[in-house]
Amino acid sequence: MPKWLKDAVFYEIYPQSFYDTNGDGIGDFNGIIEKLDYIRGLGCNALWINPCFDSPFKDAGYDVRDYKKVAPRYGTNEDLVRLFDEAHKRQMHVLLDLVPGHTSEEHEWFRMSQKAEKNEYSNRYPWTNFCFEPAKGFPYVGGESERSGVYVLNFFKCQPALNYGFYRIDQPWQLPVDHPDCIATREAMKDVMRFWLDLGCDGYRVDMAASLVKNDDEKKSGTCAIWRNVREMLDREYPEAAIVAEWSEPQQSLKAGFHMDFFLNGGGNGYSTLMRDYENHPDGADHSYFKKDAGGDINAFLKDYLPRYLDTKEDGYFCLLTCNHDTRRPRLGLDIPELKLAYAFLFTMPGAPFLYYGDEIGMRYLDLPTKEGGYFRTGSRTPMQWNEGKNLGFSEGSADDLYLPVDPAPDAPTVSAQENDPDSLLSTVKALLALRHREEDLQADADFAQIQTKAGQPFVYHRGSLVLAINPSGSEQTCSLPAPGEVIFSIGSAKADKNSLTLGAQSFAVIR
Ligand code: NOJ
C-alpha cells in the first residue's frame, strides 16, 4: 500500500470546467497548475483528473482515441508533465483516469481491427465471424466496417469493448482469457499505464474496472485475475503508484489488488440513502440522512457499508465521495447547513475521501441540455465558480464560447465570496480537512465502529480513540458517551459533560 494514501484527500477535476487560462472557453492544464495552491489550501493533497486524452469527446473523453497523447484543448504532454512536477513540489499526487474497457471507435487499434484483412489488432476487440451473426447477449454494432462481423460495445455506441477474453465461452467467436491476443490487450493497457507513470503520474482511477472479461462468473474471477496481474506489475515497478476502481464492490476489487474502491450511488443503496435517497421514496424528493426534516436513519447506510468495510479493511480503502461527474451534485437536495454535516461525516470516515470540484462551495446542479454525452450528468459539469467577475472567474473568453454556461443565479456560490467568511461551507471544508490531517485517528487506517445508531437520535461513532457524533435533526439532542471527554471540534453547538453530550440542532462534534 503506497504510504501517501494514509492521509490522502482527493480532489476530482473535470478538466473541461476547472480553469481556462487561454480564453478559449475550456479548462486547461495550465489552469489546474495555477490553482494547485488553492486545492492544497483546501486540504486536498491528491488529484483525480477525468480523462484528458485525445478523443472525439462523444463521452466527455471516456472515448479515448490515443492513450498516450493529451487532448490538444487541454495543452500538450509537456504541460501535463509540468502539472505532475508542480503537484509533486507541493507534496501532492496526481491520478489520471484509465479507461481500459473500451476505446473510441476512432482509436487506431479499432480502425485496424475493422479491416477485412487479418492483422495484429483483429482480435483486440471481440467480433463475431459474420456480418449477420449477432453478438448474442451483448450490445453490438454491425454494418460499419469492411470486416464481416459485428463488434461488442462496452457503453455508448462510440465505445467498442476491448477484448480481454470470455470467461465462459458459449459462441465460437469468443476467445478464452488466456488466448495470446487477449493477453496482448492486457499488456497493451499495462504499457499505457507505464507510459504516464514514467512521466510522473502517481496512479489511476480506473473506469468500469469490473467490465474487462466478458461472460465472467459472479465473483468476476476473470477480471480479478487481470487486476491481480496489474497489481503485481505495479508492486514490482511502481510501488508508490495507486489505483482506485470504479467498481463499488470492495470484496471483489480490493481483493483483486486495487488500493481503493468507491462507494457509488446506485438504486437506493447505502451511499445513496446517505447523500440523496430519492430512489426509495415515491415522492422522488431528497430524503438524505443529513436532511433536517427527514428523520434520518443511519442504519440504511451502515447495513450496506459495514459488511464491505469490515471484510476489506485489511486489503485497501472503500472510499466515500461528495459526488462525481456522473451524479447530481449534493447541493441539489441539501442546503448549506446540511451539506456541512454531510461533509463532516464523509471527511471523518476511513479510506480516502474524494471531493468533487465545486462541492466545497456548494455549487448547484444546473438543468442543462446534454453536452458530450453527459445527459443528466451535464448539470454537474459546469464551470468552477471562482469569483464575481466575468464568467465567474472561469474564463476570459466570451460567454457564448464557454464549454458550459456558468450558474446564472445572482447568488451563485463562489470561492472569493466564501474564503474570508469563517462560517461558509468552504471554510468548514478547510477546517474539517485540517482536522483530519492533524488527527491520525481520522485518517484512512484508523478503525471505525458505531456506538449509537438509533433513528431519531444522534449517530455516535468511533474513529480510533476519538468519538464523533452527528445530530442532523432540527432539535437539541442528548446522548451518552462511552467515557468522559472533551469536545475538540464542532459544527453548531456541542457540550460534553461527564458521560453525556448535548448537541444543538444540526451539529457535529469530535470528542477526545
Ligand atoms: C464511467 C464514467 O465515470 C462515465 O462518465 C462514463 O460515461 C462511463 N464510465 C463510460 O466510460
Side-chain angles (χ1 to χ4, degrees):
M1 179 70 74
K3 278 188 296 300
W4 61 271
L5 286 182
K6 187 181 160 58
D7 187 29
V9 178
F10 285 88
Y11 191 77
E12 179 191 346
I13 294 181
Y14 186 73
Q16 287 90 322
S17 295
F18 194 57
Y19 187 46
D20 170 25
T21 56
N22 63 359
D24 63 356
I26 194 151
D28 43 53
F29 293 131
N30 285 333
I32 300 177
I33 293 171
E34 275 192 38
K35 297 295 185 186
L36 283 176
D37 288 329
Y38 163 78
I39 299 167
R40 193 74 177 91
L42 210 54
C44 294
N45 51 16
L47 305 180
W48 153 27
I49 304 175
N50 290 115
C52 52
F53 312 106
D54 181 42
S55 166
F57 290 104
K58 290 184 180 174
D59 184 16
Y62 282 96
D63 46 333
V64 179
R65 186 162 49 200
D66 185 343
Y67 287 104
K68 295 187 177 176
K69 182 176 167 237
V70 302
R73 69 190 200 178
Y74 303 131
T76 61
N77 282 16
E78 289 68 36
D79 293 330
L80 180 54
V81 170
R82 205 158 55 79
L83 167 55
F84 298 148
D85 294 343
E86 289 296 326
H88 295 158
K89 276 187 204 158
R90 294 164 174 81
Q91 283 77 49
M92 297 171 82
H93 293 85
V94 183
L95 302 188
L96 295 178
D97 208 319
L98 183 75
V99 189
H102 49 265
T103 64
S104 157
E105 59 198 340
E106 295 182 21
H107 194 290
E108 190 53 26
W109 297 342
F110 187 65
R111 294 226 185 280
M112 291 298 290
S113 176
Q114 285 181 299
K115 289 194 191 300
E117 206 167 290
K118 199 151 171 55
N119 62 67
E120 190 188 340
Y121 300 99
S122 299
N123 285 333
R124 179 64 43 105
Y125 302 78
W127 289 78
T128 66
N129 291 321
F130 180 55
C131 58
F132 299 143
E133 181 186 5
K136 275 197 213 117
F138 300 95
Y140 66 88
V141 172
E144 294 238 316
S145 52
E146 61 179 50
R147 175 173 178 170
S148 176
V150 309
Y151 57 89
V152 173
L153 297 175
N154 217 33
F155 199 66
F156 286 154
K157 185 255 159 194
C158 61
Q159 291 154 319
L162 280 160
N163 195 3
Y164 293 87
F166 290 68
Y167 194 73
R168 192 191 66 249
I169 294 187
D170 51 29
Q171 296 293 324
W173 52 272
Q174 299 171 351
L175 301 182
V177 289
D178 58 355
H179 187 284
D181 291 343
C182 300
I183 291 180
T185 307
R186 182 193 75 196
E187 292 305 310
M189 209 41 69
K190 279 154 74 176
D191 175 59
V192 168
M193 293 177 83
R194 287 188 183 101
F195 179 82
W196 293 109
L197 290 169
D198 286 340
L199 289 173
C201 145
D202 299 292
Y204 295 92
R205 173 268 187 186
V206 179
D207 186 68
M208 292 176 67
S211 76
L212 306 191
V213 170
K214 304 303 181 202
N215 282 353
D216 214 342
D217 64 3
E218 236 176 70
K219 296 190 306 207
K220 297 267 172 197
S221 308
T223 297
C224 288
I226 292 179
W227 291 118
R228 241 172 254 121
N229 175 282
V230 170
R231 173 66 184 268
E232 276 164 27
M233 179 279 279
L234 291 177
D235 283 352
R236 211 172 34 244
E237 298 175 32
Y238 307 93
E240 283 302 296
I243 45 175
V244 50
E246 187 203 24
W247 195 316
S248 221
E249 285 298 343
Q251 284 131 322
Q252 292 176 348
S253 59
L254 299 182
K255 303 222 182 261
F258 277 94
H259 303 99
M260 300 174 273
D261 191 357
F262 300 112
F263 200 178
L264 296 171
N265 208 56
N269 70 359
Y271 173 77
S272 114
T273 64
L274 190 71
M275 294 301 286
R276 306 184 171 77
D277 206 15
Y278 39 75
E279 296 95 337
N280 290 317
H281 295 272
D283 62 2
D286 200 303
H287 294 259
S288 153
Y289 170 72
F290 301 105
K291 281 212 78 63
K292 185 170 80 167
D293 301 319
D297 182 356
I298 194 69
N299 291 294
F301 165 77
L302 290 174
K303 137 169 135 312
D304 219 1
Y305 172 82
L306 264 183
R308 297 168 188 210
Y309 161 71
L310 292 172
D311 264 15
T312 60
K313 65 190 176 111
E314 306 305 328
D315 303 300
Y317 301 139
F318 188 34
C319 301
L320 299 176
L321 58 173
T322 60
C323 135
N324 71 16
H325 62 290
D326 290 333
T327 52
R328 294 174 170 88
R329 285 193 183 270
R331 175 75 192 270
L332 183 64
L334 300 178
D335 62 19
I336 300 297
E338 291 164 345
L339 278 175
K340 287 182 182 173
L341 298 186
Y343 295 170
F345 180 65
L346 299 175
F347 297 159
T348 54
M349 285 294 281
F354 280 72
L355 168 63
Y356 184 55
Y357 83 98
D359 279 349
E360 71 273 30
I361 52 170
M363 268 174 62
R364 294 191 175 91
Y365 173 81
L366 303 184
D367 193 11
L368 291 172
T370 184
K371 172 93 178 184
E372 294 187 346
Y375 300 96
F376 77 91
R377 306 174 294 182
T378 305
S380 292
R381 299 175 174 186
T382 58
M384 179 66 184
Q385 298 158 195
W386 295 104
N387 56 49
E388 280 66 43
K390 184 175 178 186
N391 300 319
L392 300 182
F394 163 65
S395 167
E396 280 303 316
S398 107
D400 295 339
D401 290 340
L402 299 191
Y403 174 75
L404 283 170
V406 295
D407 183 349
D411 64 345
T414 63
V415 171
S416 65
Q418 294 190 26
E419 62 194 347
N420 297 318
D421 171 2
D423 197 38
S424 67
L425 185 61
L426 179 67
S427 298
T428 304
V429 166
K430 283 188 192 174
L432 282 163
L433 294 180
L435 174 75
R436 185 180 171 102
H437 293 305
R438 266 198 316 274
E439 299 288 340
E440 216 181 315
D441 276 355
L442 296 180
Q443 296 168 9
D445 291 320
D447 269 342
F448 163 84
Q450 77 247 47
I451 298 175
Q452 134 61 39
T453 66
K454 229 184 251 148
Q457 292 183 23
F459 168 42
V460 188
Y461 56 106
H462 268 298
R463 284 302 315 283
S465 62
L466 299 173
V467 172
L468 297 90
I470 299 190
N471 172 22
S473 81
S475 56
E476 185 179 280
Q477 305 260 0
T478 302
C479 56
S480 47
L481 293 171
E486 169 206 357
V487 175
I488 60 161
F489 182 93
S490 69
I491 296 174
S493 79
K495 254 208 261 105
D497 183 16
K498 299 198 187 99
N499 279 51
S500 150
L501 176 71
T502 304
L503 286 168
Q506 295 190 289
S507 63
F508 165 80
V510 181
I511 297 115
R512 189 185 335 263

